[in-house]
Every structure is written in structure tokens, then in C-alpha cells.
Amino acid sequence: MDFIKLNNIRVYAYHGCLAEETKIGSDYRVDLKVEADLDQSAISDQLKDTVDYVHLNSIVREEMAEPSKLLEHIAKRILDRIMNELSMVKMAEIAVAKMNPPLGGDVESVSIILSKTR
């Protein structure tokens, strides 16, 4: 099968369970992979025959702008929108990472990975 990947989408957002996290915000990284049949677009060279990665990026940015307590909740919202808005997508996998999380130690990031299949 064929895949489109958006790697290292960087977003500043206001997610977390602690009050400070929702006030000062933090850096996040999102990696997205979608599965779709890209045979037609490879032949036609037409945007209408593929999954528009600009649309994918817009979904990620719009959902990341909506505060949530948990990374899992953000990821599920993104996956749900992808499946609802882009009928060509057969499977989507997302990793959402919070950079420099407030864990009381030197941790580069924490991340979750969710996937959804049609």
C-alpha cells in the first residue's frame, strides 16, 4: 500500500493537566502517516486524485490549537477528522510529542502513538 507522511510538524500549544501548562504553553511535535491508494495520482499528476497534505497539515494545526489535558485526546480528534474529511485515507497513524515535559528531570519529550483504520 502507499503512504503519505508529514514529519516533525512543530506547534506551540496549550495542553496539559497542570494549570501552568495551559497558561504558558509548550512546544509539540506531530508525525502523521496516512495510507491511501496513490496509483491514480502517480499517473494523472492531479491533486484531486490524492490525499492533499496541505489539508492534513491544516487538520493537525487546527486540532492542536484546541486545548486538551491529554495527548491521547488530541490525537484521537485529529484521527477522527482525517477519517471524516478524507475518504481516500484507509489508515492513519499519529505520534504527538510534548517537548521538555514537566517531569522533574531531563526528558527531551514524551509521546503517544495512535492509529485508526477505516
Side-chain angles (χ1 to χ4, degrees):
M1 195 39 62
D2 309 315
F3 298 95
I4 294 175
K5 292 176 66 179
L6 279 71
N7 301 305
N8 200 21
I9 303 168
R10 292 176 295 276
V11 179
Y12 196 85
Y14 300 87
H15 306 296
C17 293
L18 303 175
E20 306 84 52
E21 294 176 292
T22 60
K23 288 182 180 149
I24 60 175
S26 186
D27 290 311
Y28 292 83
R29 187 188 73 232
V30 178
D31 296 311
L32 179 63
K33 177 174 143 180
V34 300
E35 179 182 343
D37 184 351
L38 303 178
D39 289 344
Q40 182 61 36
S41 61
I43 295 166
S44 72
D45 197 27
Q46 297 297 313
L47 184 57
K48 68 177 180 61
D49 295 328
T50 193
V51 177
D52 184 354
Y53 52 78
V54 173
H55 191 165
L56 291 170
N57 187 55
S58 293
I59 290 171
V60 169
R61 292 192 173 281
E62 289 167 13
E63 293 302 325
M64 288 297 292
E66 182 69 33
S68 290
K69 292 179 184 172
L70 301 178
L71 299 178
E72 295 91 321
H73 187 254
I74 303 160
K76 181 186 181 320
R77 288 196 330 251
I78 292 168
L79 290 176
D80 288 347
R81 275 197 60 194
I82 289 168
M83 291 304 193
N84 287 334
E85 295 178 22
L86 299 164
S87 62
M88 286 185 64
V89 173
K90 296 179 181 177
M91 183 279 300
E93 179 180 279
I94 188 166
V96 180
K98 182 175 209 164
M99 311 309 291
N100 304 307
L103 299 178
D106 186 14
V107 178
E108 180 181 13
S109 69
V110 295
S111 61
I112 59 93
I113 300 171
L114 293 181
S115 64
K116 189 168 189 169
T117 303
R118 196 176 299 283

